[in-house]
Amino acid sequence: MSDQPIIYKTREEIELMRKSAQLVSKTLGLIAEHIEPGVTSLYLDKLAEEYIRDNGGVPGFLGLYDFPNTLCMSPNAQVVHGIPNDTPLQNGDILSVDCGVLMNGFYGDHAYTFEVGEVAPEVSKLLEITKKSLYLGIEQCKAGNRIGDIGYAIQTYTEKHGYGVVKELVGHGLGRIMHEEPQVPNYGRRGRGKLLKNGLVLAIEPMINLGTARIRQLKDGWTILTKDGQPSAHFEHDVAIIDGKPDILSTFDFVDAALAKKKANT
Ligand code: MG
Ligand code: MG
């Protein structure tokens, strides 16, 4: 993909992309409502597929590079690209849920790592810091900056907390194709890399490990895990540069509302 040009989007195209991103956001909100100990990732996957289709979209990952499901479901030491299965989630697990939607010809692609029941404080902190690092990366997503500024912000903040930044997997341009140029590493040097301009739409997605940054892959050809078996977090937003500034097309508002409602009911 490295020899492909960067495809800048018009304002009209960005508004269509916002719709795709928002359908992903709502799907993650639905997952937030239903995630709890005893539920399986396969059950959540079916809920998501039905919801996306009912709302005029098509699951973006299903069949993409032959991925077998709607959601990438990566519990605990799984970093990304986990395949949904019928193992019930347990109290204390975390689950990274990555969701893609294709609608009106454009992809949305964003992700959230959920806590299942009561999670160990150090794991909860990993999620909080990883989510914060995503927003620090997004702040750098403005015209005149460079790709390296995004990765630098994410890397310095998370490494300061002693975490491992996954290097082999990166964020990306997003549009009519799921993975467009440019690549967006979660590490980098300030002022280095491709120039950021209006009309650029990026999926920014820190993958941060509690322990070592090193990863391995399962024999299923998909699942990426931490090499040391410690937990990993993944948060992702779709961000457009408009009028020189970052405009986040996706939102965690639906997730936040669902989690707040659940908390109020317990
Ligand atoms: Mg994703
Ligand atoms: Mg992505």
Side-chain angles (χ1 to χ4, degrees):
M1 85 181 201
S2 57
D3 52 358
Q4 299 298 313
I6 294 176
I7 301 163
Y8 298 92
K9 278 78 185 177
T10 64
R11 289 293 281 265
E12 290 73 20
E13 289 172 329
I14 289 172
E15 290 317 307
L16 289 177
M17 293 193 71
R18 194 188 305 278
K19 289 191 176 139
S20 303
Q22 294 278 320
L23 181 51
V24 175
S25 304
K26 288 176 189 164
T27 306
L28 291 177
L30 179 74
I31 299 303
E33 274 177 45
H34 289 88
I35 196 167
E36 60 186 10
V39 162
T40 71
S41 54
L42 199 54
Y43 170 75
L44 297 172
D45 183 76
K46 294 299 161 212
L47 276 184
E49 177 172 0
E50 196 179 309
Y51 184 78
I52 290 166
R53 293 191 191 281
D54 284 351
N55 286 278
V58 172
F61 297 159
L62 184 64
L64 184 72
Y65 315 118
D66 291 329
F67 188 75
N69 289 86
T70 293
L71 302 175
C72 291
M73 293 291 223
S74 311
N76 303 320
Q78 294 188 9
V79 179
V80 287
H81 303 166
I83 298 173
N85 62 31
D86 54 10
T87 305
L89 295 170
Q90 292 185 33
N91 185 54
D93 283 349
I94 56 170
L95 180 66
S96 296
V97 180
D98 197 347
C99 180
V101 155
L102 178 61
M103 194 165 65
N104 301 315
F106 288 96
Y107 282 102
D109 169 26
H110 91 111
Y112 194 94
T113 301
F114 293 95
E115 300 185 356
V116 182
E118 199 83 20
V119 167
E122 62 167 1
V123 178
S124 204
K125 181 154 186 219
L126 170 71
L127 305 194
E128 180 198 325
I129 299 299
T130 303
K131 196 202 293 183
K132 177 91 188 290
S133 79
L134 167 60
Y135 287 100
L136 293 176
I138 290 170
E139 269 177 34
Q140 296 301 317
C141 194
K142 51 192 179 191
N145 271 8
R146 290 181 180 271
I147 286 290
D149 293 305
I150 298 170
Y152 177 84
I154 292 168
Q155 181 180 21
T156 49
Y157 181 68
T158 53
E159 286 186 348
K160 195 174 74 187
H161 287 85
Y163 299 147
V165 177
V166 174
K167 313 283 194 310
E168 293 87 342
L169 298 145
V170 297
H172 49 94
L174 184 72
R176 292 186 181 276
I177 297 169
M178 172 69 78
H179 297 114
E180 292 185 356
E181 281 295 305
Q183 294 196 6
V184 186
N186 296 303
Y187 60 94
R189 294 169 66 184
R190 272 190 286 197
R192 296 296 180 92
K194 296 213 167 77
L195 190 63
L196 307 180
K197 298 181 198 170
N198 283 325
L200 187 63
V201 181
L202 299 176
I204 302 180
E205 47 180 317
M207 289 155 259
I208 308 295
N209 301 343
L210 186 61
T212 180
R214 298 181 66 199
I215 56 169
R216 66 188 182 92
Q217 189 170 36
L218 281 188
K219 288 201 179 72
D220 64 15
W222 281 106
T223 313
I224 305 290
L225 300 107
T226 60
K227 196 132 197 173
D228 61 6
Q230 293 213 68
S232 182
H234 179 215
F235 289 85
E236 178 178 23
H237 268 316
D238 301 332
V239 184
I241 303 181
I242 298 178
D243 295 332
K245 296 190 295 286
D247 185 335
I248 308 177
L249 305 180
S250 47
T251 176
F252 293 143
D253 286 357
F254 301 103
V255 167
D256 292 342
L259 295 180
K261 197 171 159 194
K262 270 166 88 176
K263 203 170 174 187
N265 290 336
T266 53

